[in-house]
Amino acid sequence: MHPSHERLGVEVFIPGENKQKNPSCPHGPMLMFERYFESKPPRRFYSCSACRDRKECNFFQWEDETPSIASQDAHRRIIEASKPSISHTQCLKRLKRVRRLKESQRTYCHTCAQLLLPKEMDKHNDHEMTSGISDDIVSSPSYLFKPLDKKKSFAQYLFSDASVDFLLETFERLGYKNILCIGTPRIHEAIQTKKVNEMDSILLDLDHRYAQFNDEGRFIHYNMFNHHFFDEDLAKPLLQNFFENSKLNSLLVVLDPPFGGLVEVLAASIRKIWKLADCNKDNKELPTFWIFPYFMESHIVEEMPSFNMCELKVNYDNHPLYKKRHSSSAKTSPVRIFTNVSLRDIVLPEDEGYRYCEKCERYVSESNVHCELCNDCTSKDGRIWLHCGLCNKCVKKDRVHCQSCDRCEVAEHVCQRSLRGCHICGKLDHKRKNCPDRPRLHSGGNKRKMGKEKSSKIKKSKGISE
């Protein structure tokens, strides 16, 4: 790329109710993004909502270009080929037949992602298969599947048993009996198999393989990054039925998105789920547990001001770093619970290194020292943090205040303080995300382009920064 066209980053436009106008890829309607450049106007494009890596889904379209007829036909064929090989109704019929088979006759083909009937075995001889599937595995297929471990789309890292037990015990103690599980198959499976105190659940997941192992009304093929129901005529009535059969004060949403997911997009989907539950007529929210890394706290709180971070370290069975809590070789997990449920009501296990802070009215790690100046237990990662008078907040113990950056940084760092200011209007007192002149496409109706006037402002801003 020419030096004068240096990229300055990308912003996403949150999809509105008319997202169906956006072009689609195998993961549903694509999202609109805007790419900013050093010395030329920004340009908008459509890209996959679920995959940030073009290697995972290479659908891409500039907003101001129309694909050729040949490209459109090719895209339609790819989307059609990506659909599940059997319908949801066929999945339900097949599950009933498989359950009647002897354990030794039950086989799952990983190559085709399909439960097999005995008469179909010959067609899959050269495929990777698992035979002798027990009733327990039929009820808990997350222990059977080969994880789709693409970090930025599926990222199927599955909760450890200890994390599942803690969440279920917490839900039960708080009186939540109807759990909407978004991308949390282990929670859903545990509820369906253990039948915890008459608790019920429904799973919404991007992985269509779960449709083959769930009874009617227990699974919906769903993309949380664009709030897309793949079979909307079937899915929305199922979800509405789940809401209608649940008492509003017993409903809870729990979601575990891939760590590369865009916070503003996920937050928009959560709000739309709340709206479907018809709970926010008076600006009410459904109780929600959002599992995400602690270093995304500022982004989540900005989008969801009612959310706070619970300090429980959430662990996974199959994550290369953040495995079971009792594993001596596991690194400390950065994954936490963000929730609009009062933290004083979420009791963390004292035998695992948590204590109750009377001043903060919440459970914290034993090493999290209460700062009188911040009036908070400020550590986010379980280690001791120290107060910086210049930053007027607590920072990690190994940070030192940098006068150039005007914040605390690691001792050996490259100062990257930017004086560019806003890439849209050229002013230095805000960034582009908060620019009052930024085009808003939340409703999908504004197609305004940046003209010569704004382009000249960018150039003027560049001159200031130089």
Side-chain angles (χ1 to χ4, degrees), residues 203-247:
L203 175 65
L204 279 62
D205 205 288
L206 186 58
D207 187 350
H208 64 79
R209 295 179 298 179
Y210 286 104
Q212 298 180 65
F213 293 84
N214 277 275
D215 292 319
E216 187 172 5
R218 292 289 175 263
F219 174 77
I220 293 174
H221 193 195
Y222 173 77
N223 182 350
M224 72 177 84
F225 293 103
N226 57 5
H227 188 61
H228 175 64
F229 297 92
F230 286 86
D231 189 347
E232 191 165 3
D233 292 340
L234 172 69
K236 282 199 171 180
L238 286 179
L239 185 56
Q240 202 60 51
N241 183 65
F242 180 77
F243 287 143
E244 290 174 356
N245 290 329
S246 307
K247 293 181 179 179

Side-chain angles (χ1 to χ4, degrees), residues 200-361:
D200 197 12
S201 62
I202 185 171
L203 175 65
L204 279 62
D205 205 288
L206 186 58
D207 187 350
H208 64 79
R209 295 179 298 179
Y210 286 104
Q212 298 180 65
F213 293 84
N214 277 275
D215 292 319
E216 187 172 5
R218 292 289 175 263
F219 174 77
I220 293 174
H221 193 195
Y222 173 77
N223 182 350
M224 72 177 84
F225 293 103
N226 57 5
H227 188 61
H228 175 64
F229 297 92
F230 286 86
D231 189 347
E232 191 165 3
D233 292 340
L234 172 69
K236 282 199 171 180
L238 286 179
L239 185 56
Q240 202 60 51
N241 183 65
F242 180 77
F243 287 143
E244 290 174 356
N245 290 329
S246 307
K247 293 181 179 179
L248 193 58
N249 59 2
S250 73
L251 269 169
L252 179 134
V253 178
V254 56
L255 70 154
D256 182 31
F259 297 164
L262 297 172
V263 168
E264 56 264 58
V265 170
L266 293 165
S269 293
I270 292 173
R271 288 189 288 267
K272 289 172 183 176
I273 289 289
W274 292 346
K275 185 176 180 180
L276 284 177
D278 202 28
C279 72
N280 58 351
K281 291 179 179 178
D282 302 316
N283 293 321
K284 292 182 180 179
E285 303 175 352
L286 277 182
T288 301
F289 277 38
W290 179 343
I291 317 298
F292 226 46
Y294 74 82
F295 45 78
M296 299 302 291
E297 180 183 22
S298 61
H299 299 280
I300 291 179
V301 173
E302 180 181 1
E303 292 292 331
M304 314 292 276
S306 62
F307 280 45
N308 293 293
M309 190 184 83
C310 170
E311 286 197 35
L312 181 86
K313 299 175 182 67
V314 180
N315 291 271
Y316 297 82
D317 263 345
N318 62 330
H319 195 287
L321 296 178
Y322 316 122
K323 297 182 180 180
K324 296 180 180 180
R325 286 206 286 270
H326 300 297
S327 172
S328 59
S329 62
K331 292 186 178 181
T332 301
S333 172
V335 186
R336 304 290 187 267
I337 299 170
F338 294 88
T339 181
N340 53 3
V341 174
S342 174
L343 294 186
R344 72 169 66 91
D345 298 327
I346 302 177
V347 180
L348 304 189
E350 295 183 1
D351 61 347
E352 292 188 23
Y354 299 97
R355 64 176 179 82
Y356 186 77
C357 176
E358 295 287 349
K359 296 179 180 179
C360 293
E361 295 186 313

Side-chain angles (χ1 to χ4, degrees), residues 134-194:
S134 66
D135 288 341
D136 288 342
I137 293 298
V138 171
S139 300
S140 302
S142 67
Y143 293 89
L144 168 68
F145 295 156
K146 305 288 185 181
L148 304 173
D149 56 0
K150 296 174 181 176
K151 293 182 180 179
K152 297 181 181 179
S153 53
F154 287 96
Q156 291 179 310
Y157 300 127
L158 301 163
F159 292 142
S160 67
D161 290 343
S163 294
V164 170
D165 290 343
F166 170 82
L167 288 168
L168 289 183
E169 290 168 4
T170 300
F171 298 162
E172 185 177 14
R173 186 174 59 253
L174 297 177
Y176 299 118
K177 296 182 180 297
N178 302 97
I179 313 300
L180 178 61
C181 299
I182 304 178
T184 56
R186 284 277 168 92
I187 298 292
H188 173 67
E189 291 169 359
I191 292 172
Q192 292 299 311
T193 56
K194 296 180 181 179

Side-chain angles (χ1 to χ4, degrees), residues 111-136:
T111 306
C112 300
Q114 187 172 312
L115 274 172
L116 301 181
L117 299 173
K119 64 180 181 180
E120 300 169 334
M121 294 291 293
D122 292 343
K123 299 178 182 178
H124 302 262
N125 285 334
D126 57 344
H127 293 178
E128 182 181 3
M129 295 187 289
T130 297
S131 300
I133 300 174
S134 66
D135 288 341
D136 288 342

Side-chain angles (χ1 to χ4, degrees), residues 34-101:
E34 189 161 35
R35 186 180 299 284
Y36 293 84
F37 301 92
E38 178 79 19
S39 59
K40 70 175 184 177
R43 194 177 183 189
R44 294 178 189 153
F45 63 90
Y46 296 102
S47 188
C48 177
S49 63
C51 304
R52 298 275 64 81
D53 191 336
R54 293 278 296 279
K55 294 179 181 178
E56 297 176 21
C57 181
N58 62 2
F59 277 59
F60 179 93
Q61 180 180 324
W62 290 110
E63 185 208 16
D64 54 6
E65 292 181 358
T66 301
S68 66
I69 299 298
S71 293
Q72 293 181 45
D73 289 341
H75 287 172
R76 278 193 289 268
R77 288 194 295 270
I78 294 172
I79 292 172
E80 194 63 31
S82 71
K83 293 180 179 179
S85 58
I86 57 177
S87 69
H88 189 76
T89 301
Q90 290 172 319
C91 287
L92 295 173
K93 291 180 179 179
R94 183 171 291 249
L95 179 59
K96 290 179 181 179
R97 295 178 67 180
V98 167
R99 281 176 171 161
R100 290 197 293 264
L101 295 173

